[in-house]
Amino acid sequence: MDLTVIWAFIIAFAVFAYVVMDGFDLGIGILFPTLKVGQGRDRAMNSIAPVWDGNETWLVLGGGGLFAAFPLAYAVVLPATYPLIIAMLLGLVFRGVAFEYRWRDPAHRPFWDAAFFGGSLVAAMAQGMTLGALLQGVEVVDRAYAGSWFDWLTPYTLLCGLGVVAGYALLGSTWLIWKLDGGAQKHARWLALRAAIATIVLMGAVSLYNIFLNAEYAERWLTAPEIYFAAPVPIITAIIAVSMLRAIGTDRNSKPFWLSIALFLFGMLGLGVTMWPYVVPPGLTIWDAAAPERSQIFMLVGVAITMPLIIAYTAWAYWVFRGKVSDEGYH
């Protein structure tokens, strides 16, 4: 067994779990100004209140796993994206504080609602731009970051940031379709349709940009025999996108949310096809950046114990708080 590959898949799974689970939380924050003040916003927040903080466990696992299993990648990526990482963390802090204080400080609720929206938007945008900064390539010399402070700020990274914002809005709106009813659900469908169209357009734009961004990326997608393995990803993604649009427009509750998750899954598979085997394109592969084998084995034992526990208590929380959200919620 190649432990480095196993660790790459563990971190990829943790990142995907975070993107999906905290993505719909952030998406609700992004959509917050469009929700009706009062009961509309309260019900939306109550739909995520039991699970939002637990969803961030996956961010800790992904970041900690990168530091432990691929320390060189961690040492290169962070200096290359420090402003974005700091912005993301501050956004998550504002989002978390606003989430609790809007219930406990009703006199200043408009301020906390704005903080909830702003923190969610900044965190989502920073995550997307970080992904774009990684995909566009990081300059590495002598196993250290050799770029400038603002290499992360390009039209491509801004496009990726907008794509993640739209995608999170899609996850948030389809979650609300599932959890709400009546007029609130109808409004969520209206939001979901627009978020879905924006997400599909931006995913396509980023995919086309990737082909012109790097000759090696273009070779992966456009030349034989690689194209035979890569072609099913965009084809299946297109089928999922059409099915999702139809589900949003019909009287479906949970199906739009699951299809939006599937859309993210195949988007991530596309990123895997584009980047593999690099962890920091274009110079560091997963084997270049990997920790010593003994360290990987030691950490794998811990992950084998903790990851099933995380999955179990996460699944239990979602099961306990299943169903539609009424006026009386977690708070």
Side-chain angles (χ1 to χ4, degrees):
M1 292 189 299
D2 190 333
L3 291 175
T4 301
V5 174
I6 292 174
W7 267 105
F9 277 97
I10 289 172
I11 293 173
F13 174 78
V15 170
F16 175 72
Y18 170 77
V19 165
V20 169
M21 293 185 187
D22 206 34
F24 68 78
D25 298 346
L26 293 170
I28 289 174
I30 292 166
L31 297 171
F32 216 58
T34 70
L35 303 178
K36 186 179 180 180
V37 176
Q39 187 184 58
R41 294 184 178 183
D42 291 348
R43 291 182 69 194
M45 294 198 82
N46 279 327
S47 74
I48 59 173
V51 296
W52 74 271
D53 46 356
N55 291 341
E56 294 184 355
T57 304
W58 297 104
L59 178 63
V60 176
L61 180 60
L66 182 67
F67 173 74
F70 301 100
L72 180 57
Y74 187 91
V76 170
V77 171
L78 256 70
T81 58
Y82 267 138
L84 295 173
I85 299 299
I86 292 170
M88 179 192 73
L89 294 176
L90 289 175
L92 292 175
V93 168
F94 266 84
R95 188 273 302 259
V97 171
F99 194 100
E100 297 296 336
Y101 271 78
R102 77 178 299 273
W103 302 98
R104 292 165 173 79
D105 184 22
H108 299 94
R109 186 164 291 178
F111 170 78
W112 296 119
D113 285 354
F116 184 63
F117 163 70
S120 300
L121 180 64
V122 168
M125 191 73 183
Q127 289 173 15
M129 292 182 70
T130 301
L131 173 63
L134 189 62
L135 281 169
Q136 74 181 3
V138 178
E139 186 178 352
V140 179
V141 176
D142 295 330
R143 296 166 62 85
Y145 176 60
S148 71
W149 183 254
F150 291 105
D151 279 3
W152 52 268
L153 184 58
T154 65
Y156 177 72
T157 61
L158 291 170
L159 184 66
C160 291
L162 292 174
V164 169
V165 169
Y168 283 179
L170 171 63
L171 288 171
S173 56
T174 53
W175 173 261
L176 293 178
I177 291 173
W178 188 6
K179 303 297 286 186
L180 302 181
D181 53 18
Q185 186 190 63
K186 184 177 179 181
H187 181 63
R189 289 189 188 278
W190 184 86
L191 293 173
L193 181 60
R194 283 146 185 80
I197 293 171
T199 301
I200 294 167
V201 170
L202 288 166
M203 281 184 70
V206 171
S207 300
L208 290 175
Y209 206 133
N210 283 341
I211 294 174
F212 299 100
L213 186 68
N214 187 310
E216 190 170 352
Y217 294 168
E219 185 178 347
R220 299 264 179 92
W221 287 99
L222 300 178
T223 61
E226 288 86 353
I227 192 173
Y228 303 128
F229 298 97
V233 175
I235 293 172
I236 297 175
T237 302
I239 295 172
I240 291 171
V242 172
S243 301
M244 181 181 64
L245 290 171
R246 292 181 62 186
I248 291 171
T250 57
D251 190 19
R252 300 282 187 169
N253 286 328
S254 63
K255 190 174 181 180
F257 180 69
W258 294 115
L259 287 171
S260 66
I261 290 178
L263 189 71
F264 267 81
L265 174 62
F266 277 85
M268 192 164 182
L269 289 175
L271 291 177
V273 172
T274 301
M275 291 181 62
W276 182 264
Y278 296 103
V279 64
V280 182
L284 290 179
T285 67
I286 58 173
W287 297 280
D288 296 329
E293 184 178 1
R294 288 187 177 182
S295 298
Q296 293 185 40
I297 293 173
F298 177 77
M299 294 181 297
L300 194 61
V301 174
V303 169
I305 297 171
T306 58
M307 184 174 282
L309 291 175
I310 295 171
I311 294 172
Y313 75 64
T314 301
W316 176 248
Y318 280 90
W319 173 255
V320 169
F321 293 99
R322 66 193 182 276
K324 298 289 186 180
V325 175
S326 63
D327 295 338
E328 295 183 5
Y330 176 74
H331 283 84

